[in-house]
Amino acid sequence: MMTTVEFAPLKSTITGAVFGPRDPEYDDARSIWNGQIDHRPAVIARCRSASDVAVALAFARAHSLEVSVRGGGHSYRGTSVCEGGVMIDLSAINVVSVAPSAKRARVGGGATIADLDKATQEHGLAVTGGVISDTGVGGLTLGGGMGWLTRTLGLAIDNLVSAEVVLADGSIVRASENDHSDLFWALRGGGGNFGVVTEFEYRLSEIGPEVHLGLFFWGMEDGPAALRLCREVVPALPRNAGAMVAVSLSAPPAPFVPDQFHLLPGYALLVAGFGSEVEHSNAIAPIREGLPTLFEFVTPIPYVGLQSMLDESEPWGAYAYEKALDLVDFSDDVIDVLTEQAGKKSSPMSFMPIFPLQGAFTSVGEDDTAFGGSRTPHYVCNMTATATDAGTLELDRSWVRETWEALRPFSSNQGGYVNFMTDVDEDRVRASYGAGKYARLSAVKAKYDPDNVFHLNANILPA
């Protein structure tokens, strides 16, 4: 039974809205991207400032209530919505302020990638984001933050300058290389374990507003050859190009896809070019020459269009589940597993996006940030089950788990990327960071959140 809480005192002390189960706005406020999540907080505090967050945390402490934090709401695990506790909703803290001459952006903790890109692209600037535009900036960044610009600019955390954080005791601090440097280190990859980040400050780079896209699609029968081609061409791409390998991707019913291939499952390589049209053409030439495709799509595209082009594959309200692991390469053994599993999905929305972590990603030292995983070149293989109904999701949840188990012997990190970790347990979290980095994170956790208030995440236990 859900806890009944008298929250009138909270309503009178914060500037944002407060919702309880009897309020008409409650169901909409507690809904997030993953449609299978149906958690019911005792109270939702839609904060408008760091001070509001501090008040909401004090209210939770006074009533011994669990705390969850909702940023963009693009949550597979559903941990942004607690059951019977206080949900701190940051969606109203979504303002993005850009200083073009300094190439800096201050971004509210409730902003989405779409909010960030819209503001920065007005000045031809960008920072590494995800590949789905309604992803929250906060959750993406705190776990690392990979996207189309990873090979060019590194992870989102590699471009983070500072962060405003509301700590468990309600104090508000600014963490950077010079202030609370231990906390700043932990925020860059350690997830939401250390406080509520109400503002991120990023270093921006000149990207867009027009970039280039190359999409190459092969049928299921060409899977082994397509993955061997990816093994050759992706590491050789120039630094100003991003890429994604997609296994068991259903061709979209888009105008650039011939009608006979609509929803046909296959293999795709997507290459985003951030240089000139000539540079992009040279970069994709080996792909065109390497293996005939069923179709290709090569075009200039607005950067904001690149950032949102996969949104329809992950629509709001879909039922979803995911697992991931790190792979050094597309070895023959890995290719055998991927091609064997590729045809076993049930939903046309399910697929395996594989992200290359190369280029600028490798320029950052192993211990410079708390990112879980090696800084040597590798791939993050994400297996995502997405469906419109619970029955199909269960079928593809089994497909994801079976594929993950089959790939485990070839994984370079048995924990995997924390942002792609739906099933969270202590052993996997420890494995993701490694013993030394986990111990360091645990010490920071003990300093800033000794009571583990922020535990609805890939949780790091206080030392």
Side-chain angles (χ1 to χ4, degrees), residues 94-112:
N94 63 351
V95 174
V96 179
S97 176
V98 180
S101 58
K103 295 184 179 177
R104 293 286 189 273
R106 289 182 178 263
V107 183
T112 65

Side-chain angles (χ1 to χ4, degrees), residues 361-375:
F361 167 82
T362 67
S363 300
V364 178
E366 293 282 354
D367 297 322
D368 289 352
T369 69
F371 179 72
S374 169
R375 284 286 183 160

Side-chain angles (χ1 to χ4, degrees), residues 116-147:
L116 171 60
D117 291 338
K118 179 182 178 181
T120 58
Q121 279 295 284
E122 289 181 5
H123 309 283
L125 299 169
V127 65
T128 306
V131 296
I132 304 293
S133 71
D134 56 18
T135 302
V137 167
L140 177 100
T141 299
L142 293 173
M146 60 186 66

Side-chain angles (χ1 to χ4, degrees), residues 236-463:
L237 288 170
R239 189 155 163 161
N240 65 352
M244 177 195 295
V245 178
V247 174
S248 198
L249 176 71
S250 298
F256 63 84
V257 179
D259 290 348
Q260 67 268 32
F261 299 135
H262 285 189
L263 299 181
L264 182 76
Y267 296 77
L269 174 57
L270 293 79
V271 178
F274 305 110
S276 68
E277 183 176 358
V278 171
E279 288 175 302
H280 184 63
S281 180
N282 291 337
I284 64 176
I287 305 170
R288 286 174 149 168
E289 298 165 1
L291 183 68
T293 61
L294 291 182
F295 66 88
E296 68 170 51
F297 183 54
V298 177
T299 182
I301 185 173
Y303 177 74
V304 292
L306 172 70
Q307 288 287 85
S308 60
M309 72 175 183
L310 297 178
D311 286 4
E312 291 185 6
S313 69
E314 300 280 292
W316 195 273
Y319 287 45
Y321 174 83
E322 67 179 349
K323 289 177 81 75
L325 40 68
D326 292 356
L327 301 170
V328 174
D329 201 353
F330 293 116
S331 68
D332 290 343
D333 288 334
V334 167
I335 289 174
D336 287 344
V337 172
L338 292 174
T339 53
E340 180 182 353
Q341 294 295 119
K344 296 182 179 180
K345 72 173 187 178
S346 298
S347 169
M349 300 163 71
S350 300
F351 76 115
M352 291 183 256
I354 303 176
F355 301 89
L357 301 187
Q358 302 160 349
F361 167 82
T362 67
S363 300
V364 178
E366 293 282 354
D367 297 322
D368 289 352
T369 69
F371 179 72
S374 169
R375 284 286 183 160
T376 57
H378 66 277
Y379 297 84
V380 173
C381 180
N382 185 20
M383 292 141 275
T384 176
T386 309
T388 57
D389 64 278
T392 305
L393 177 68
E394 284 308 308
L395 292 174
D396 279 5
R397 190 196 307 269
S398 297
W399 170 69
V400 165
R401 288 173 171 169
E402 180 183 311
T403 305
W404 187 80
E405 288 290 349
L407 285 171
R408 278 188 72 186
F410 314 110
S411 173
S412 57
N413 181 346
Q414 293 296 312
Y417 181 42
V418 294
N419 278 359
F420 292 159
M421 197 180 289
T422 305
D423 296 328
V424 176
D425 60 67
E426 185 181 347
D427 289 342
R428 282 198 65 200
V429 175
R430 286 179 180 271
S432 177
Y433 292 108
K437 193 170 284 188
Y438 185 91
R440 186 175 172 186
L441 285 165
S442 184
V444 177
K445 176 76 168 179
K447 178 178 177 180
Y448 291 98
D449 184 19
D451 298 325
N452 204 11
V453 171
F454 305 112
H455 64 267
L456 293 178
N457 45 45
N459 194 228
I460 295 161
L461 298 176

